[in-house]
Amino acid sequence: MQKEGERLIPINIVDEMKSSYIDYSMSVIVSRALPDVRDGLKPVHRRVLYGMYGLGVFSNRKYLKSARIVGDVLGKYHPHGDSSVYDAMVRMAQDWSLRYPQVDGQGNFGSMDGDPPAAMRYTEARLKKISDEVLSDLDKETVDFQNNFDDSLQEPTVMPTKVPNLLVNGTSGIAVGMATNMAPHNLSESVDAICAYIDNKEITIDELMQHIIAPDFPTGGIIYGYDGVRDAFHTGRGRVVLRAKVSFDEIGNRNAIIVSEIPYQVNKAEMIARTAELVKDEKIPGIHEIRDESDRKGLRVVYELKNDAIPNVVLNLLYKYTALQTSFSVNNIALVHGRPEQLNLKDIIHHFVEHRHEVIVRRTQFELKKAKERAHILEGFMKVIGTQDALDRAISIIRHSANPQAAKEGLIEAFELSDIQAQAILDLRLARLTGMELDKIRDEYDAIMKEIENLEDILANEPRRFQIIKDELIEIKEKYGDERRTEIDYSGGEMSIEDIIPNEAVVLTISHAGYIKRTSLSEYKIQSRGGVGNKAATTRDSDFLEYIVSATNHQYMLFFTEKGRCYWLRVFEIPEGSKTAKGRAVQNLINIEPDDKIKAYIRTNNLKDSEYVNQMSVVMVTKNGTIKKTSLEAYSRPRVNGVNAIEIRDNDQLLGAYLTNGTSQIMIATKNGKCIRFPEEKVREVGRGSIGVRGIAMEDNDEAIGMIVVNDVENETVLVVSEKGYGKRTAVEDYRITNRGGKGVITLNITEKTGNLIAIQNVTDEDGLMIINKSGVAIRMGMDEMRVMGRNTQGVKLINLKKNDEIAAIAKVAMDKDVEEDSEEIEEETEIVADNQEDNTIPQAENENTAEENENSDSEE
């Protein structure tokens, strides 16, 4: 009911709601949720820092109760709930939340598992050393101040920070109608990028990205793919995929996935609990047990696997279904002159540099004002006490004055002083009138005048001001800069990897048991001679290095398995290890089936080079004597789960795969001692899905045991070895060229004493040979110890076998000197050593001493 004297004003409810909601939303945007682009702080964080600054809780002072700090901030600057201030302060102290924490907390400040901090009456805090740089020069009128909520005090509108806080710590916040989510970055990289911008204001974002490579999260992890990073830097919006940092290990007799770093803002306890649920629901098979072994030394989560689980497959499922892989959606929105704007990398740097420039101008003006004020007083001292006569006259005026005011007026009139100068004379202690003190005043005046000249030069010289910004940033980098924590896996993105990863020369080594590693070529050059071999590389018992080849990071490795599958790895994707490291099991790097095993490795050049892939071919041979030749082009489109390289029928398996150039010669040997030699062109090229053609005709109780590709007929010799330790080297030319599909000729005179043929290799005097017995004994010998002999002979005894022992396999290995030579020049053609290990349980065939048999037919199977 309307009272007397009141007036009702009709208002449209829609208009009132619009107006009120806009006021509310602007209040939230400007005064709560969004950071200022200059200092990267929201009002609550700025007030926490200023409150601690007012309390004097600096990094070199003792800790103060958090409740005292929160109470001070609430009472003076931040009229909201105590939890809003305490929660903000807690986050500023957590080294897993901020890349460079600003508060030094003592007590329970929470954990990565989402545990809450202790109540503020139990915890203590003080400023971190880096926060001193954020607050530096705050007392020199470098920034504007505003009234607090009740106009009783003043608070800064922005901090005069020397640290590019918005870049290095990022921020997140939800306003009304907009949100911000800015990633943290490495301080050293950020300083380098800002200095590059100061040197060249026209610098492009791509050029800035050479300095500040990607976000750098406090919890480390791996950025998977680079496209999101590029988008974020260029536009201010982008989706950065984050993965945990994992490694494979063996615990007891089980494989295990070890997590040492998790993605940013992931709750570790929730992640483990969610994974346990998925394992229980059989969404992620293959995990036997999950353990959180994290302690003060660092994070460690162990996923122990079942015996039949493939580590790489389980890891991919963990990435797919759990927070081991997550994404950080960058949305760079900050307040610029009080208005929210979306900012790219260069914008953020530009506004920070502009802020620093303004701070330095205002700081210099303040220092110049103070210096001139002091110089003015010193000039008065010089007039009055510069000579003995003047001093006596001044003392006389003061002594004969009725009061201080009269004395001041007398001094002003007698010496032409200003009011300030006269007051300073009156305030002088008598001790300052001694001769020594007079000299100090003159020296101080000279120093002040030089300082004034320097400060005026700074104000008149813009390049010098920007140089000061750079010098102070470099000092910050030297004090607080550190190494990048977050790694970048460029292979996860769509962009050209060759543009990012240098095509450096490396040495690849694969052991007989299938452990692979990549080592920088420089490691061989700087170490003493001896190379990689049993002396240098750490291998398991009865293991040895079987495959050693030079490569470059941009090349590919092809892996062929017993079941006829082909898998790929870029050379740079193979884990790097030192010269003495064991390496990583190949099965952990590719999605190979549990009951399959790798039989051959091929190193190729860039599969995107159409001319190269069309002129090279892959030739494969199976146990049943089938040979297949396919253009390398058919293998030029890598797939994560591999492709079928050759159709393997029942009771058959792949023996080896080789890279040929169109002019090679092929030799296939069988366990009954036969061998065929024919030109590569006798095998026509077929598609990847084809089964192949007959390479050698065999009797029912015979089977192929291997194939070699000969490119140098004059220098290469053929080595064949039987299961009972006999072997021989024969010139390639002793095997006459025939058509493909024939029965071949005798390569070793098979008897009961020799046993079946088990291996064939092409060797030279410089090669080494590793002989592996079924009993597990491995013996190494040089080929220069073995003379070349005729083809139709029994050979010589290579090794003395104990009773019932037999040779299981042979492998060509590089002698120590070869690795040094190999490291001097990157070969253009590939080497390949197939895994020839067989379980030779087939009954020994009866020896054939017949003459050479002619080739048979050229028909396909």
Side-chain angles (χ1 to χ4, degrees):
M1 187 173 175
Q2 186 175 354
K3 294 180 181 179
E4 188 178 347
E6 288 184 340
R7 187 163 57 97
L8 291 177
I9 303 172
I11 294 175
N12 186 312
I13 187 67
V14 174
D15 294 338
E16 179 62 24
M17 288 293 290
K18 279 183 183 176
S19 173
S20 299
Y21 197 72
I22 287 171
D23 290 344
Y24 164 71
S25 63
M26 286 307 297
S27 172
V28 171
I29 289 167
V30 175
S31 304
R32 190 182 303 175
L34 297 186
D36 193 296
V37 70
R38 296 169 292 176
D39 62 2
L41 298 171
K42 297 181 193 176
V44 65
H45 302 117
R46 194 177 297 118
R47 286 164 177 168
V48 167
L49 291 177
Y50 189 60
M52 296 176 78
Y53 171 85
L55 289 167
V57 197
F58 298 109
S59 58
N60 57 353
R61 309 281 176 85
K62 69 176 185 176
Y63 292 92
L64 199 63
K65 279 287 183 186
S66 298
R68 170 76 191 281
I69 297 167
V70 171
D72 213 60
V73 173
L74 283 179
K76 290 181 177 179
Y77 312 112
H78 199 68
H80 299 278
D82 58 359
S83 63
S84 65
V85 175
Y86 187 50
D87 290 350
M89 190 180 82
V90 163
R91 187 174 179 276
M92 293 167 78
Q94 293 174 338
D95 57 8
W96 64 90
S97 293
L98 261 63
R99 183 64 178 82
Y100 299 92
Q102 296 160 329
V103 171
D104 182 4
Q106 182 167 265
N108 174 13
F109 273 75
S111 74
M112 291 178 74
D113 290 332
D115 298 321
M120 57 185 168
R121 61 182 179 274
Y122 297 120
T123 61
E124 297 178 337
R126 64 184 177 186
L127 289 169
K128 280 271 192 185
K129 185 72 178 167
I130 197 169
S131 295
D132 296 347
E133 313 293 349
V134 176
L135 298 160
S136 175
D137 301 325
L138 190 58
D139 57 347
K140 295 183 179 179
E141 298 177 2
T142 50
V143 295
D144 293 333
F145 278 69
Q146 64 187 14
N147 287 336
N148 69 341
F149 60 89
D150 63 358
D151 295 345
S152 61
L153 294 167
Q154 292 264 296
E155 62 174 326
T157 58
V158 68
M159 290 297 181
T161 174
K162 292 181 181 178
V163 181
N165 193 57
L166 192 62
L167 262 183
V168 301
N169 271 330
T171 189
S172 64
I174 300 171
V176 177
M178 64 184 68
T180 184
N181 202 34
M182 305 183 75
H185 298 83
N186 184 271
L187 177 61
S188 300
E189 292 179 5
S190 300
V191 168
D192 291 341
I194 295 167
C195 291
Y197 170 79
I198 291 171
D199 291 337
N200 174 22
K201 300 288 176 56
E202 303 303 317
I203 192 169
T204 65
I205 292 175
D206 285 329
E207 288 170 333
L208 285 172
M209 287 167 63
Q210 294 175 9
H211 301 283
I212 187 164
I213 306 167
D216 188 24
F217 296 98
T219 53
I222 297 168
I223 292 173
Y224 185 65
Y226 201 68
D227 289 347
V229 174
R230 176 172 290 241
D231 291 342
F233 282 158
H234 278 269
T235 68
R237 291 179 73 94
R239 181 174 172 272
V240 179
V241 178
L242 282 171
R243 282 185 165 183
K245 187 178 285 186
V246 302
S247 59
F248 297 102
D249 201 356
E250 289 185 11
I251 298 176
N253 60 347
R254 294 183 187 275
N255 286 322
I257 297 170
I258 312 295
V259 176
S260 54
E261 294 174 6
I262 60 174
Y264 184 48
Q265 294 176 332
V266 167
N267 183 311
K268 175 163 62 69
E270 286 183 6
M271 178 189 79
I272 293 170
R274 172 66 180 150
T275 307
E277 287 178 16
L278 291 167
V279 172
K280 186 179 178 182
D281 296 341
E282 298 184 352
K283 285 273 184 70
I284 304 180
I287 294 180
H288 171 69
E289 186 182 3
I290 306 172
R291 293 192 303 276
D292 185 358
E293 298 180 356
S294 306
D295 56 21
R296 290 185 178 182
K297 295 178 182 176
L299 186 145
R300 178 182 166 92
V301 180
V302 179
Y303 297 87
E304 201 169 300
L305 306 183
K306 295 177 181 176
N307 290 331
D308 60 346
I310 306 164
N312 227 45
V313 173
V314 175
L315 180 59
N316 284 334
L317 289 172
L318 287 170
Y319 283 146
K320 182 176 181 180
Y321 292 115
T322 76
L324 278 193
Q325 176 173 309
T326 183
S327 62
F328 185 92
S329 296
V330 176
N331 187 17
N332 293 341
I333 291 181
L335 296 175
V336 180
H337 305 303
R339 296 174 63 88
E341 284 187 20
Q342 187 149 341
L343 306 163
N344 61 31
L345 176 63
K346 188 174 178 181
D347 293 334
I348 296 170
I349 291 173
H350 164 74
H351 289 300
F352 174 74
V353 171
E354 288 294 303
H355 176 54
R356 281 305 299 160
H357 184 258
E358 183 185 351
V359 166
I360 282 169
V361 169
R362 293 179 64 162
R363 181 182 72 189
T364 308
Q365 288 171 341
F366 175 83
E367 290 173 347
L368 180 61
K369 183 179 76 171
K370 292 294 183 184
K372 284 183 175 179
E373 288 173 358
R374 182 62 181 163
H376 181 63
I377 290 170
L378 292 173
E379 284 169 356
F381 288 170
M382 308 282 282
K383 283 181 183 180
V384 175
I385 61 177
T387 64
Q388 191 62 46
D389 290 344
L391 177 59
D392 292 342
R393 186 178 168 198
I395 291 170
S396 176
I397 291 170
I398 294 168
R399 285 183 62 193
H400 292 93
S401 297
N403 53 52
Q405 183 61 32
K408 184 193 289 187
E409 290 170 357
L411 289 172
I412 291 171
E413 186 178 340
F415 294 98
E416 298 180 352
L417 300 177
S418 69
D419 189 89
I420 295 171
Q421 288 173 325
Q423 185 62 47
I425 295 291
L426 290 174
D427 292 340
L428 267 179
R429 290 184 300 116
L430 289 174
R432 298 297 302 273
L433 303 180
T434 63
M436 186 179 294
E437 288 296 318
L438 290 173
D439 289 340
K440 283 184 181 179
I441 288 171
R442 293 190 186 98
D443 291 343
E444 185 186 352
Y445 181 74
D446 292 340
I448 284 282
M449 295 312 292
K450 286 182 182 176
E451 179 65 14
I452 289 171
E453 184 181 345
N454 177 53
L455 293 171
E456 286 177 337
D457 181 64
I458 291 172
L459 289 173
N461 190 341
E462 186 179 85
R464 191 172 171 204
R465 294 197 294 273
F466 281 112
Q467 186 58 48
I468 290 170
I469 297 173
K470 282 179 63 177
D471 292 343
E472 290 181 351
L473 281 169
I474 290 166
E475 186 182 344
I476 293 290
K477 175 183 171 182
E478 289 171 353
K479 280 185 183 177
Y480 310 105
D482 55 7
E483 293 296 319
R484 160 173 281 280
R485 293 182 192 173
T486 304
E487 297 178 6
I488 305 163
D489 182 355
Y490 296 102
S491 63
E494 300 289 328
M495 70 177 299
S496 173
I497 298 163
E498 286 80 359
D499 294 340
I500 299 160
I501 296 180
N503 197 21
E504 293 176 343
V506 295
V507 175
L508 297 180
T509 57
I510 306 178
S511 76
H512 183 72
Y515 285 84
I516 187 171
K517 73 173 185 286
R518 165 175 58 96
T519 307
S520 173
L521 190 57
S522 61
E523 189 163 338
Y524 290 97
K525 291 180 178 176
I526 60 174
Q527 294 190 5
S528 59
R529 291 187 68 82
V532 171
N534 280 345
K535 294 177 184 176
T538 304
T539 55
R540 292 164 166 256
D541 295 339
S542 73
D543 195 10
F544 58 89
L545 294 181
E546 181 176 347
Y547 178 85
I548 303 173
V549 66
S550 296
T552 60
N553 276 331
H554 291 186
Q555 291 180 318
Y556 286 78
M557 285 294 294
L558 271 60
F559 301 88
F560 293 86
T561 73
E562 201 171 73
K563 289 185 174 182
R565 299 280 292 173
C566 175
Y567 300 85
W568 295 262
L569 275 180
R570 297 297 293 269
V571 169
F572 64 77
E573 292 175 326
I574 294 167
E576 191 168 9
S578 67
K579 190 173 161 186
T580 56
K582 181 179 72 176
R584 181 88 61 81
V586 178
Q587 284 86 347
N588 290 339
L589 301 177
I590 57 178
N591 295 336
I592 185 173
E593 293 180 10
D595 57 343
D596 203 359
K597 69 176 182 177
I598 295 168
K599 298 296 288 186
Y601 314 97
I602 293 180
R603 183 214 67 195
T604 75
N605 291 339
N606 191 350
L607 295 180
K608 294 176 183 174
D609 182 346
S610 57
E611 183 180 345
Y612 170 76
V613 297
N614 282 304
Q615 78 180 44
M616 303 300 285
S617 301
V618 176
V619 175
M620 289 163 276
V621 66
T622 74
K623 189 170 70 173
N624 289 346
T626 299
I627 188 170
K628 177 182 175 181
K629 177 181 172 184
T630 307
S631 170
L632 182 59
E633 194 276 335
Y635 302 96
S636 63
R637 291 169 289 279
R639 296 182 193 170
V640 174
N641 294 318
V643 296
N644 285 325
I646 182 173
E647 184 183 337
I648 300 294
R649 292 182 172 175
D650 293 341
N651 301 319
D652 201 3
Q653 66 182 41
L654 186 71
L655 292 180
Y658 300 79
L659 202 62
T660 61
N661 56 19
T663 61
S664 306
Q665 293 184 9
I666 292 170
M667 299 181 71
I668 303 172
T670 74
K671 75 173 185 180
N672 284 349
K674 296 291 190 68
C675 182
I676 189 170
R677 173 190 174 200
F678 54 86
E680 177 193 341
E681 55 262 27
K682 293 287 184 180
V683 185
R684 68 179 181 85
E685 245 177 31
V686 294
R688 191 166 51 77
S690 303
I691 193 169
V693 295
R694 182 183 292 120
I696 184 170
M698 297 178 293
E699 296 177 356
D700 290 342
N701 64 344
D702 204 0
E703 62 185 41
I705 51 91
M707 176 179 84
I708 59 173
V709 173
V710 179
N711 291 311
D712 187 351
V713 174
E714 292 183 5
N715 294 319
E716 292 182 45
T717 57
V718 179
L719 170 72
V720 289
V721 179
S722 73
E723 61 188 353
K724 294 198 175 177
Y726 286 84
K728 68 171 181 178
R729 286 176 67 190
T730 310
V732 173
E733 292 174 337
D734 279 11
Y735 299 84
R736 62 187 179 84
I737 295 178
T738 66
N739 280 330
R740 172 190 60 78
K743 291 185 178 180
V745 296
I746 293 173
T747 182
L748 184 72
N749 199 4
I750 297 294
T751 64
E752 189 173 341
K753 183 172 71 171
T754 64
N756 290 332
L757 201 65
I758 64 151
I760 181 171
Q761 278 288 0
N762 48 334
V763 295
T764 65
D765 284 347
E766 286 73 35
D767 288 322
L769 187 71
M770 188 70 76
I771 301 171
I772 308 101
N773 297 345
K774 288 185 177 179
S775 61
V777 177
I779 294 174
R780 186 170 179 173
M781 62 183 291
M783 281 292 91
D784 52 358
E785 301 173 19
M786 192 172 179
R787 65 182 179 85
V788 179
M789 59 184 70
R791 177 173 56 75
N792 193 9
T793 60
Q794 208 174 62
V796 297
K797 198 153 194 176
L798 300 178
I799 181 174
N800 288 319
L801 296 169
K802 293 181 180 178
K803 188 177 180 181
N804 297 326
D805 200 4
E806 292 179 347
I807 293 179
I810 68 162
K812 184 169 68 174
V813 294
M815 301 299 282
D816 287 346
K817 61 182 179 180
D818 291 339
V819 177
E820 285 291 330
E821 294 166 2
D822 194 30
S823 67
E824 295 299 323
E825 183 177 356
I826 304 301
E827 301 168 354
E828 289 303 317
E829 296 301 326
T830 191
E831 287 181 41
I832 176 155
V833 178
D835 181 353
N836 288 315
Q837 190 165 346
E838 296 288 341
D839 184 12
N840 290 295
T841 55
I842 300 172
Q844 183 175 317
E846 197 174 310
N847 180 42
E848 291 186 45
N849 288 318
T850 57
E852 300 172 2
E853 293 192 35
N854 242 346
E855 63 277 3
N856 197 359
S857 65
D858 194 29
S859 61
E860 296 186 5
E861 279 188 70

